[in-house]
Amino acid sequence: MLLYEKYTPYSLNGIVGNREAVETLKRFGEAALSGAKPRPLLLYGPSGTGKTAAARALASMFGFGLILLSASDYRDADTLRKTLLPATVSKGLFSSTNLIVFDEIDELSSQFDKGAQNVILEIAEHSKQPVLFIANDYWDQSISFLRGHVDKVEFRPLTNSEILGFLRYVAKSEKSKIGDSVLVRIAEQSNGDLRAALNDLEFAMSGKEDAFECLSSRNQKMKIFQVLDRIFLSNSFGTARNALDSSDVDLDMLLKWIDENIPKRYVLQASLSSAYSLLSDSSFYANAASRLSYYSLLRYANVLASSGVSIASYGHVTRLGTYSFPKQVKYLSETKQERSTIAGIAAKLAKRMHASRKEIITGFLPVFEQILKEQAKKLGKDELAEQLESYYGISKDELALLIG
């Protein structure tokens, strides 16, 4: 179980920060518990500020049944009428009150059919059960139909001190030996997103060699984790596409992250095969756009890498395990000095052999290394080094790299 799931609060008193919003939800719950019909609320704010956690805590704290709708659950009017309208007037199995929560309403509203908005408004106005809506942006035009029918409740980004305090509590509870300086760093780089901070803490606690390297850029990694979540977990064309558009990570890097982490989330063999096929097609279009300077092709690369990979899950995903830093990027980082030296050797050989560096590296250098190893046995490394220095300008250190 992931840390942010393990430490999800069961009471509004356990919500970190946003005390004003929490108090509003308590009054909302008390009104619903008393039999009154409170006006629906729209919880809005950035990711990781506790909106969905607060909705769950509200239901748990007051003993309400929870009907949490997300992603594909409320796109069409027929589904809403058949499955949700009865719940707005009926009692729960173990509770007399059902809390109805429309999660990610701003992300899915663009996919509603013509009648879905009307049904949602009907539920908001006439439901005998309490209703919550959750969105990132209250002013998003896609949910303008809700304004005037709900009271807004803002969830602001958490402060560094709020996040740090909770990270210390979690680290202590997990008996982690993570130093306080690391917790401070995670909190400072969290951008007010507690869920992302917990993901980073879990990654740091994993003991992986690249754990601290991956924390070096909070802004970038924060967005990478969000983008990956929305691509892998939404099974939604629009949500995945929007996630890619909102990322400041370049496409080439994002392709490497997706490639590394598809097996972390997709459980069906057919999903893995389809996702990697689509990712390959995306890479093809991206390379073609760069090679031909025809950048309109990037639109196909973007859609295939985001929406294509997203719908390839067929709705069967796992949330277990944390994302891994791309091995290819890590390898390139670790071998940067070696590759730079090889490129320097190739440049020196190219002058004598009248060939390109690429031809030297891919075609000649492997053979040249074997020749040098044989010559080193005959002449000795020192004599061979002098000859190479004299004719090619290759140093002893460069020779050592070639012959080991």
Side-chain angles (χ1 to χ4, degrees):
M1 181 183 293
L2 299 179
L3 286 181
Y4 79 83
E5 294 175 331
K6 182 177 180 179
Y7 289 92
T8 296
Y10 293 97
S11 167
L12 288 171
N13 296 324
I15 295 294
V16 179
N18 284 297
R19 302 322 302 170
E20 184 177 344
V22 167
E23 291 304 316
T24 299
L25 284 172
K26 286 181 178 179
R27 291 192 295 271
F28 178 87
E30 290 166 356
L33 193 64
S34 70
K37 182 184 177 300
R39 184 177 171 88
L41 300 180
L42 172 59
L43 315 184
Y44 72 97
S47 297
T49 52
K51 302 183 297 296
T52 303
R56 291 179 179 275
L58 171 65
S60 176
M61 182 175 180
F62 287 93
F64 299 154
L66 179 62
I67 301 176
L68 180 63
L69 303 169
S70 61
S72 59
D73 294 326
Y74 52 89
R75 295 181 187 178
D76 62 274
D78 286 340
T79 299
L80 289 169
R81 287 195 179 96
K82 291 178 182 178
T83 63
L84 193 55
L85 275 178
T88 64
V89 295
S90 63
K91 295 183 178 180
L93 183 60
F94 300 104
S95 170
S96 61
T97 303
N98 290 316
L99 176 64
I100 301 172
V101 181
F102 290 84
D103 201 0
E104 300 175 333
I105 187 73
D106 52 338
E107 293 183 13
L108 273 296
S109 59
S110 61
Q111 301 179 34
F112 291 161
D113 68 12
K114 293 182 179 179
Q117 290 187 6
N118 292 332
V119 177
I120 290 174
L121 285 179
E122 183 180 345
I123 292 171
E125 293 178 354
H126 303 296
S127 174
K128 295 181 179 179
Q129 305 287 359
V131 179
L132 296 179
F133 297 94
I134 298 177
N136 289 323
D137 183 7
Y138 175 77
W139 299 106
D140 191 315
Q141 287 301 311
S142 65
I143 56 173
S144 59
F145 70 96
L146 284 175
R147 293 179 206 144
H149 302 277
V150 297
D151 289 333
K152 59 181 181 178
V153 180
E154 182 179 9
F155 276 72
R156 296 182 175 88
L158 276 63
T159 66
N160 290 348
S161 61
E162 289 171 336
I163 291 179
L164 178 59
F166 194 70
L167 291 178
R168 285 170 173 162
Y169 163 72
V170 172
K172 182 178 180 181
S173 300
E174 295 294 312
K175 296 180 173 57
S176 171
K177 296 182 180 179
I178 293 291
D180 198 62
S181 61
V182 176
L183 300 181
V184 171
R185 179 179 174 185
I186 293 174
E188 290 176 345
Q189 296 178 344
S190 67
N191 290 334
D193 186 333
L194 182 59
R195 181 169 58 240
L198 287 172
N199 285 339
D200 278 353
L201 175 59
E202 186 159 24
F203 201 45
M205 289 167 53
S206 68
K208 296 180 180 178
E209 294 180 2
D210 59 350
F212 293 100
E213 176 185 352
C214 291
L215 296 177
S216 62
S217 177
R218 170 67 258 158
N219 288 336
Q220 187 179 43
K221 288 296 168 289
M222 173 57 233
K223 292 189 177 179
I224 285 177
F225 287 139
Q226 281 186 329
V227 171
L228 292 178
D229 270 349
R230 295 189 180 187
I231 288 176
F232 291 140
L233 304 180
S234 71
N235 192 32
S236 163
F237 189 99
T239 300
R241 184 70 177 86
N242 291 337
L244 184 144
D245 288 341
S246 68
S247 172
D248 64 352
V249 181
D250 65 74
L251 180 61
D252 181 62
M253 176 61 80
L254 184 59
L255 291 177
K256 291 179 174 63
W257 274 92
I258 295 173
D259 175 69
E260 183 72 29
N261 289 287
I262 286 174
K264 295 272 189 176
R265 290 291 178 260
Y266 289 1
V267 297
L268 298 181
Q269 188 63 41
S271 295
L272 292 170
S273 176
S274 180
Y276 277 118
S277 177
L278 289 161
L279 194 65
S280 175
D281 290 341
S282 173
S283 180
F284 171 81
Y285 280 109
N287 291 333
S290 177
R291 185 177 67 255
L292 302 174
S293 297
Y294 189 63
Y295 297 105
S296 293
L297 293 175
L298 287 176
R299 70 184 67 174
Y300 302 108
N302 290 341
V303 169
L304 288 165
S306 56
S307 304
V309 170
S310 180
I311 61 177
S313 72
Y314 306 122
H316 295 276
V317 297
T318 176
R319 294 175 180 267
L320 299 177
T322 57
Y323 292 120
S324 297
F325 193 80
K327 290 185 178 67
Q328 182 182 0
V329 177
K330 184 182 178 184
Y331 171 79
L332 292 174
S333 176
E334 292 174 344
T335 61
K336 182 178 180 180
Q337 182 60 47
E338 179 180 332
R339 288 183 290 108
S340 176
T341 303
I342 292 294
I345 295 172
K348 294 174 181 178
L349 293 174
K351 293 178 181 179
R352 286 288 188 179
M353 303 180 66
H354 306 288
S356 69
R357 295 184 188 184
K358 182 177 181 180
E359 291 171 330
I360 295 293
I361 292 173
T362 59
F364 177 74
L365 207 54
V367 178
F368 190 54
E369 289 176 355
Q370 294 303 315
I371 295 173
L372 291 178
K373 289 177 181 179
E374 293 297 323
Q375 290 298 311
K377 293 177 182 178
K378 295 178 180 179
L379 302 176
K381 291 183 179 181
D382 290 340
E383 177 65 23
L384 179 60
E386 290 180 7
Q387 292 185 13
L388 290 175
E389 175 70 32
S390 175
Y391 190 73
Y392 292 110
I394 294 176
S395 68
K396 286 186 178 181
D397 289 339
E398 290 171 332
L399 174 61
L401 177 62
L402 291 175
I403 64 177

